Amino acid sequence: MKVYGLVGPSGSGKSHHAARIAAEVGADCIIDDGLLIRRGRPLAGASAKFEFTKLGAARRAIFADDLHRKEVAEALKQLQPSTCLVLGTSEKMIRLICSRLGIRGEIEWIPIESVVSVQHLTEASDRRKRGMHAIPAVGARLSRGAGRRLIQELGERVLGTGIADLGRAKVRISRSPDSDPDLTVVFPLFHNGGVFIHPRAVEQGIRAVVQEGHPSFRVRGVVYVNREPLHLALHVVYRIGPDLPAKATHLLRALKTYLQEHLGFPYVRLDLVVEAVDPV
């Protein structure tokens, strides 16, 4: 496979110009911020621009999640493109993406400043300052993705509003300002805003997980060792019984799954502190 690496700092307009550059070099597909795109259509993956945090967006962009990586790698295997354009903020990042997706071959580097004028670079920087991020794909297809459904759910359940009202909170999808039919502009959650989860809500969720599925433990308290990345110390009382190590491991796995998949924390560290033992 012939690989082109489009390199440029965040906000330099890589996604904005990706479709044009792919056409110029004859690339069959584009890999950008967690998405595999072909002819303006997302084939696999999930956009980093729908993540709640910058850290989550970075992990999504480099395919750190195994399920995400496998989905895109399998789609690439089925597509078997002869040429691919991979976007990244550095050569190291692009090499990492290629390695994780099983893309082999020498990479021909394309610095963004070599294919985009100074005026366009300035315009791209201005768009980023206003919270505008581009995705080189058709918005109608993106709107049916998991990220969009989550935004819709937040709007209906949390804010009691629809997508249009959520737009005022910088969570919206719109057409390209240049009327490019194969370009979508998004205002991500992680740019100048986002979803704030109160520590009390995290603690209540943890207590519910323990109470409903792990009756051998009773929570005494949840201590925040660090907030980003999330590091919690869970203080519990153990109702004495066999297999404490196994039960503790099962509990920690369940809590980690809850925090990552339901609350959206990309990195989680949990310490279990058994303060006391209750006799049966």
Side-chain angles (χ1 to χ4, degrees):
M1 182 192 306
K2 175 66 177 179
V3 184
Y4 290 93
L6 180 58
V7 188
S10 179
S12 58
K14 296 186 301 297
S15 297
H16 199 85
H17 296 277
R20 173 182 64 82
I21 295 169
E24 290 176 357
V25 299
D28 297 326
C29 62
I30 298 170
I31 295 175
D32 177 30
D33 267 348
L35 282 173
L36 171 63
I37 300 165
R38 183 170 184 261
R39 297 176 182 172
R41 304 286 178 177
L43 297 183
S47 176
K49 283 146 186 160
F50 286 128
E51 292 294 322
F52 291 112
T53 65
K54 289 183 178 180
L55 185 57
R59 282 177 50 83
R60 180 69 65 185
I62 61 173
F63 300 92
D65 178 78
D66 283 342
L67 290 177
H68 179 216
R69 176 186 57 78
K70 289 177 182 177
E71 177 193 347
V72 176
E74 181 61 30
L76 273 170
K77 186 177 179 181
Q78 293 179 6
L79 181 62
Q80 292 188 339
S82 60
T83 313
C84 184
L85 177 67
V86 184
L87 278 61
T89 57
S90 67
E91 293 184 4
K92 180 180 178 180
M93 177 182 175
I94 291 176
R95 287 194 182 97
L96 178 60
I97 291 170
C98 291
S99 173
R100 287 183 170 167
L101 295 179
I103 299 174
R104 295 177 177 82
E106 187 177 347
I107 302 173
E108 183 171 332
W109 301 107
I110 306 175
I112 186 66
E113 61 271 15
S114 70
V115 290
V116 175
S117 68
V118 174
Q119 178 184 348
H120 283 142
L121 288 173
T122 303
E123 291 172 353
S125 177
D126 180 63
R127 285 194 298 268
R128 182 58 61 92
K129 289 177 182 177
R130 288 183 282 135
M132 299 169 65
H133 295 238
I135 299 175
V138 178
R141 287 292 298 273
L142 286 171
S143 67
R144 292 194 288 269
R148 185 64 162 182
R149 289 196 300 272
L150 179 57
I151 292 171
Q152 179 73 58
E153 183 176 335
L154 284 171
E156 293 174 351
R157 295 189 180 184
V158 180
L159 303 179
T161 63
I163 289 297
D165 292 323
L166 271 174
R168 292 196 289 270
K170 293 190 182 298
V171 184
R172 67 182 183 273
I173 297 175
S174 68
R175 290 288 299 277
S176 162
D178 301 327
S179 299
D180 185 340
D182 290 334
L183 187 68
T184 299
V185 174
V186 298
F187 292 71
L189 288 162
F190 60 77
H191 190 105
N192 294 330
V195 175
F196 173 74
I197 303 176
H198 197 281
R200 193 177 301 117
V202 175
E203 180 176 349
Q204 289 173 350
I206 289 174
R207 288 181 180 275
V209 171
V210 176
Q211 183 176 350
E212 293 174 8
H214 305 270
S216 297
F217 299 93
R218 176 167 53 86
V219 178
R220 274 194 172 177
V222 178
V223 177
Y224 278 78
V225 181
N226 191 42
R227 295 185 183 272
E228 191 173 342
L230 185 64
H231 181 187
L232 300 175
L234 177 63
H235 294 253
V236 300
V237 173
Y238 177 62
R239 296 184 175 92
I240 195 166
D243 300 325
L244 171 58
K247 289 181 178 178
T249 299
H250 183 56
L251 171 62
L252 291 173
R253 286 176 180 170
L255 289 173
K256 188 173 182 180
T257 298
Y258 168 74
L259 291 167
Q260 289 182 325
E261 297 185 3
H262 293 270
L263 296 188
F265 291 99
Y267 290 108
V268 175
R269 176 179 171 183
L270 293 172
D271 297 332
L272 186 65
V273 181
V274 180
E275 291 188 345
V277 175
D278 278 346
V280 177

